Amino acid sequence: MRTATAKSILIVDDEEVMREFLTEILEDFAITKACNGEEAVEKIKERKFNLIITDMKMPGISGEEVVKFAREKSPETEIIVISGYSSLSSVSNTLGHGVRAFLSKPFTIKQIRAEVEKIFQTGDFTQTGGIRIGDGI
Amino acid sequence: MSLFGSLSKFALREKFVVVVSLVIIASMLIISGYVIKRQNEIYRIELEKRAKALVANLAYNAEYGVILESKSELDNLIKGVMRTDDIIYVVITAEDGRLLAEMGEDLRRAAKKTTIDQGSPDFSGKFEVAEYVAGNGTEFIEMGHPIETIRQSVSRENLGSVSGLEIKKDEENIEVIGKVRVGLTLANLHREINKSQTAAILLTLVVVISAIIIMTAFVRIITRPIESLVDVTDQISKGDLSRVVEIDRSDEIGLLAESFNRMIESLKKSQMEVEEYNRTLEEKIIERTSELENAQAQLIQSEKMAAIGQLAAGVAHELNNPLGGILGYAQFNLEKIQEKNANNITDKDIKSYKRYLKDIEMQTRRCKAIVQNLLKFSRTSQTIDFSDIDVNAVLEDTLTFMEHQLMINQINLRKNFDNSIPRIMGNPSQLQQVFTNIIINAMHASEPGSEIAVATRFSPPLGEFHGAVEISISDRGQGISEENIKKIFEPFFTTKEVGKGTGLGLSVSYGIIKEHGGEIKVNSTPNKGTIFTIIIPLEKKLSPAEKTV
């Protein structure tokens, strides 16, 4: 399924297991990995991604700041937030529009795939479906 | 010290006897002294009267014997006188001092004169009375009297006249022709006086002894009930209220005993009331103490739960990360296996399954470690076990939970652990609670972007000090005011909003560090920051009794 025009995804998480797992299940996409906020910002500066999947809590630059930076740098990039916090309240107030989904860890393969596919298949990047929250396992 | 003062150490009976005896002896002495003196005087007067009569009579009768110088006549006279009592000697001398007659031993020759008496006025005044002590110690009185005669002269005109026989007699006619001296012994007088004195002493003794016997009996009547009162009072003072005073009398002492017994009765009643009150009070105290202990235990537990609550978010995050990996890899693995038939599974496939399973195993172990850590922290056991621990490791465990919360609050954590610090005896779960409390407080005091530094160091031994491990937790937060710094270890003191803190965190921490034989020091500058230093000494050897809370 992987094509020359494969969609690019930036995976940002300080947890190696999470980065590796996401890379495995999203093997059809062009994956770039960043293990912290600083690295993510560098990568966003270098190039444009179709999708950024980012963790929230990271040492140094947080996921929230990564989202803000990405919004400014490339407003068309889609964003999915994944977090170890099961409650949205801890992040919702700091998140603006443009975050397509919020998945709380641990999430199923089906959930993350569904979110990613939804973003790329609709192709309607202007649609604002609001924040969707993963319903856990 | 006065007589009564020195008597104060004696019992009532002795006092009474001594005082009354002294009074009796004094009275007897005064009375018998006076009587004996009077007796002496009377006896002496009698003796003198007798002697004077004797001497005067002798002098009169001796007139012719002296004129004639007839020794035999004078001896006859003296012989008659010598029969009288108390006469020692009689001496008759002529006017020129020649001895005319003598009988008895003239003691005066070797005697010493002690007094001179000019004689009593009722006599003619011719007596010479003097008292002597002889060489042999005999006391005697000597009474002297002149022997006189009347010279008769007939004037020439009257010679031959019938009527001229009238004799003109005047003072000038009396002529002294000699002297009578009589020695009278005082021995009889002294014997009588001695007899009287002995009688007086014996009488005094008899009176005093009788008085003592009577008084003892009488005082006994008074003191026996008093002794009985004292005895019962003594028993009462020892707390025994079962005795009563048994005195059946209708006088003042009987009344005293009666009112004393009434007092015992009311004392008994009060004691019973007090005992009853004490009993209920004790029960109440036990009840309240147990209520308080329960409340305290609940508070300490709720403080711990609050700390756990603070950590819950961090723990959840900590667990969700490995769980995410576990869930993901498990599903992914399952998916892969389902896609393949059993026959066409390649070595490469098996290799990747193994890798996924290894990841799952690793992440599961991580979850297990987190859960164990949390259990260790929240254990409610009352028994506190001290073990040999590495403070750095305990701090690391604590910070595992804290790091994420610090991150949310955008607070940097700087660790500066001295890896050479010795191991100490301590309870890891309790110490973790202390570190968590202090770090959470530091976090609440800090602004985003601030820093909290956690450091350990070894304070080396010096003299009797065996060395200590020091843990310092410093922040650059708002600090603690001087007014509040005195109260921070007090239970229920909090500056946090209602519901945010129990005010027990530091108080519980203080207790825990005390149990470790250590101390917590605080150094704070408002708006600059606070440093908490926990010092745990190495020499603290805990006895089994100290190991329980």
Side-chain angles (χ1 to χ4, degrees):
Chain A
M1 222 172 117
R2 192 168 180 167
T3 62
T5 57
K7 304 287 187 191
S8 60
I9 300 176
L10 174 65
I11 294 169
V12 187
D13 201 318
D14 57 334
E15 286 280 336
E16 195 198 348
V17 64
M18 223 49 225
R19 290 197 304 270
E20 294 309 315
F21 162 65
L22 286 171
T23 309
E24 295 260 17
I25 60 161
L26 300 169
E27 59 182 357
D28 294 336
F29 300 92
I31 302 292
T32 304
K33 289 179 275 190
C35 62
N36 57 45
E38 282 87 348
E39 212 181 316
V41 168
E42 288 305 311
K43 302 273 190 217
I44 294 164
K45 275 184 193 164
E46 279 168 22
R47 57 163 293 188
K48 215 173 258 247
F49 295 98
N50 296 113
L51 172 65
I52 297 172
I53 300 173
T54 182
D55 187 17
M56 272 285 106
K57 267 176 33 53
M58 290 178 290
I61 293 174
S62 69
E64 192 188 329
E65 282 166 280
V66 171
V67 170
K68 273 185 196 160
F69 183 77
R71 283 266 66 76
E72 280 170 23
K73 184 78 183 165
S74 108
E76 65 276 19
T77 301
E78 292 290 336
I79 296 167
I80 294 174
V81 167
I82 52 172
S83 174
Y85 289 107
S86 48
S87 156
L88 182 63
S89 64
S90 59
V91 285
S92 64
N93 54 344
T94 56
L95 290 178
H97 291 294
V99 174
R100 285 294 291 264
F102 174 91
L103 290 176
S104 72
K105 295 174 188 174
F107 44 79
T108 61
I109 300 175
K110 210 183 262 178
Q111 282 175 313
I112 184 74
R113 270 187 186 150
E115 293 299 335
V116 172
E117 273 164 24
K118 200 158 60 195
I119 287 165
F120 291 136
Q121 276 170 12
T122 57
D124 181 6
F125 291 166
T126 58
Q127 186 187 332
T128 52
I131 296 165
R132 293 174 53 128
I133 299 164
D135 55 356
I137 302 165
Chain B
M1 198 188 280
S2 71
L3 175 69
F4 290 98
S6 31
L7 276 174
S8 64
K9 58 177 177 281
F10 293 105
L12 194 62
R13 195 187 306 165
E14 277 87 46
K15 275 182 214 169
F16 215 80
V17 167
V18 169
V19 170
V20 174
S21 303
L22 285 174
V23 169
I24 290 172
I25 290 166
S27 319
M28 292 298 280
L29 283 179
I30 292 165
I31 293 166
S32 48
Y34 176 76
V35 169
I36 290 165
K37 189 171 175 275
R38 279 296 297 156
Q39 193 190 6
N40 190 7
E41 280 167 14
I42 292 164
Y43 197 98
R44 213 186 170 93
I45 290 165
E46 279 305 312
L47 187 71
E48 279 176 18
K49 262 187 191 167
R50 207 144 46 86
K52 279 174 181 170
L54 201 89
V55 171
N57 193 30
L58 190 61
Y60 181 76
N61 290 331
E63 185 185 350
Y64 290 103
V66 171
I67 293 167
L68 298 173
E69 293 190 3
S70 161
K71 187 172 161 40
S72 60
E73 187 170 338
L74 291 173
D75 278 349
N76 273 334
L77 268 176
I78 294 169
K79 213 179 271 173
V81 172
M82 284 295 283
R83 287 193 202 108
T84 320
D85 286 343
D86 300 331
I87 307 288
I88 307 169
Y89 61 89
V90 179
V91 177
I92 299 174
T93 51
E95 201 211 343
D96 53 5
R98 275 180 300 115
L99 182 69
L100 297 177
E102 179 191 30
M103 206 162 281
E105 190 190 355
D106 186 1
L107 289 172
R108 210 190 75 173
R109 289 179 195 122
K112 208 172 124 194
K113 198 184 242 183
T114 52
T115 59
I116 295 166
D117 192 350
Q118 290 305 317
S120 304
D122 51 327
F123 284 89
S124 58
K126 292 170 181 168
F127 294 100
E128 288 171 12
V129 183
E131 203 172 312
Y132 297 88
V133 179
N136 60 7
T138 311
E139 285 177 60
F140 62 95
I141 298 172
E142 194 195 75
M143 187 144 319
H145 196 277
I147 301 167
E148 294 163 332
T149 187
I150 303 162
R151 294 247 180 237
Q152 289 177 0
S153 56
V154 182
S155 58
R156 298 222 176 247
E157 307 92 78
N158 287 339
L159 276 174
S161 152
V162 180
S163 59
L165 288 174
E166 187 190 338
I167 297 164
K168 280 198 179 166
K169 205 168 117 188
D170 50 35
E171 290 299 312
E172 280 77 31
N173 290 338
I174 295 168
E175 188 189 341
V176 174
I177 53 167
K179 194 175 181 183
V180 177
R181 285 189 292 121
V182 176
L184 292 140
T185 180
L186 287 174
N188 289 334
L189 168 70
H190 288 313
R191 197 162 45 244
E192 287 305 312
I193 297 295
N194 280 342
K195 267 187 200 164
S196 299
Q197 274 174 347
T198 311
I201 288 166
L202 282 174
L203 197 63
T204 306
L205 273 177
V206 168
V207 170
V208 167
I209 288 165
S210 322
I212 286 172
I213 291 165
I214 292 164
M215 264 186 307
T216 307
F218 181 70
V219 169
R220 222 181 159 71
I221 292 169
I222 297 167
T223 57
R224 196 187 293 145
I226 292 173
E227 276 164 10
S228 158
L229 270 173
V230 168
D231 186 37
V232 174
T233 314
D234 196 39
Q235 293 292 321
I236 289 169
S237 75
K238 283 174 187 156
D240 177 13
L241 292 178
S242 62
R243 295 265 306 271
V244 289
V245 183
E246 282 162 7
I247 298 168
D248 187 21
R249 282 160 65 151
S250 54
D251 58 7
E252 287 87 342
I253 288 168
L255 287 175
L256 176 66
E258 207 176 289
S259 81
F260 199 83
N261 284 340
R262 270 205 302 277
M263 189 190 76
I264 295 172
E265 268 309 305
S266 74
L267 258 178
K268 246 189 229 173
K269 215 175 131 198
S270 319
Q271 198 191 35
M272 265 155 67
E273 279 170 11
V274 168
E275 272 170 11
E276 178 61 26
Y277 185 74
N278 273 351
R279 200 163 38 246
T280 54
L281 193 69
E282 243 168 64
E283 279 165 14
K284 271 182 190 157
I285 288 170
I286 291 168
E287 198 181 304
R288 288 287 148 85
T289 309
S290 120
E291 276 173 20
L292 268 174
E293 276 170 359
N294 284 342
Q296 198 188 19
Q298 273 174 15
L299 274 169
I300 291 171
Q301 183 61 16
S302 64
E303 167 60 24
K304 201 184 268 180
M305 294 316 285
I308 291 170
Q310 297 265 18
L311 291 179
V315 172
H317 181 271
E318 195 63 18
L319 273 176
N320 283 341
N321 264 321
L323 279 176
I326 292 164
L327 181 63
Y329 277 124
Q331 283 185 330
F332 195 52
N333 218 353
L334 210 61
E335 206 174 73
K336 290 269 178 199
I337 292 166
Q338 275 165 354
E339 276 173 18
K340 302 266 179 178
N341 290 323
N343 296 334
N344 52 13
I345 292 172
T346 62
D347 284 350
K348 192 191 161 202
D349 289 333
I350 289 178
K351 211 175 167 183
S352 53
Y353 299 157
K354 272 188 183 167
R355 190 166 61 81
Y356 300 148
L357 287 171
K358 272 249 183 292
D359 274 338
I360 289 170
E361 189 198 2
M362 202 174 74
Q363 297 305 319
T364 312
R365 280 189 196 284
R366 211 175 124 192
C367 290
K368 185 188 164 195
I370 293 163
V371 170
Q372 273 177 341
N373 226 347
L374 186 68
L375 280 177
K376 228 194 301 182
F377 180 77
S378 63
R379 191 158 47 196
T380 55
S381 163
Q382 291 284 300
T383 315
I384 306 300
D385 296 321
F386 279 71
S387 56
D388 188 37
I389 53 160
D390 174 8
V391 172
N392 286 344
V394 176
L395 267 172
E396 285 286 7
D397 279 349
T398 313
L399 291 171
T400 313
F401 295 125
M402 308 298 305
E403 269 165 355
H404 293 91
Q405 257 192 296
L406 290 167
M407 208 180 288
I408 294 176
N409 289 289
Q410 295 174 11
I411 291 156
N412 296 321
L413 178 71
R414 193 155 54 85
K415 292 188 270 187
N416 188 7
F417 292 170
D418 177 357
N419 290 320
S420 67
I421 58 168
R423 296 171 75 84
I424 59 155
M425 285 306 286
N427 180 277
S429 140
Q430 282 197 327
L431 289 178
Q432 218 167 347
Q433 193 178 343
V434 173
F435 300 151
T436 308
N437 274 325
I438 296 174
I439 295 170
I440 285 173
N441 283 345
M443 195 172 78
H444 286 156
S446 299
E447 292 291 320
S450 181
E451 185 184 78
I452 291 175
V454 181
T456 57
R457 67 179 279 265
F458 178 52
S459 183
L462 184 72
E464 291 196 355
F465 173 65
H466 295 277
V469 167
E470 286 184 18
I471 304 108
S472 71
I473 296 163
S474 51
D475 63 62
R476 295 175 187 169
Q478 63 197 43
I480 307 163
S481 73
E482 212 171 299
E483 182 193 331
N484 285 345
I485 210 155
K486 294 173 202 153
K487 302 184 204 158
I488 56 168
F489 293 112
E490 284 174 16
F492 308 112
F493 176 77
T494 182
T495 55
K496 292 175 189 170
E497 290 165 44
V498 176
K500 283 263 172 108
T502 58
L504 281 173
L506 282 178
S507 133
V508 169
S509 300
Y510 186 80
I512 290 171
I513 296 304
K514 275 275 164 221
E515 250 172 64
H516 282 74
E519 55 180 319
I520 305 180
K521 282 181 180 169
V522 195
N523 206 331
S524 185
T525 315
N527 301 320
K528 285 263 174 77
T530 306
I531 306 171
F532 275 84
T533 311
I534 300 155
I535 302 159
I536 305 171
L538 294 183
E539 79 275 18
K540 177 77 175 169
K541 295 274 179 282
L542 290 142
S543 62
E546 287 178 289
K547 289 185 181 173
T548 50
V549 173

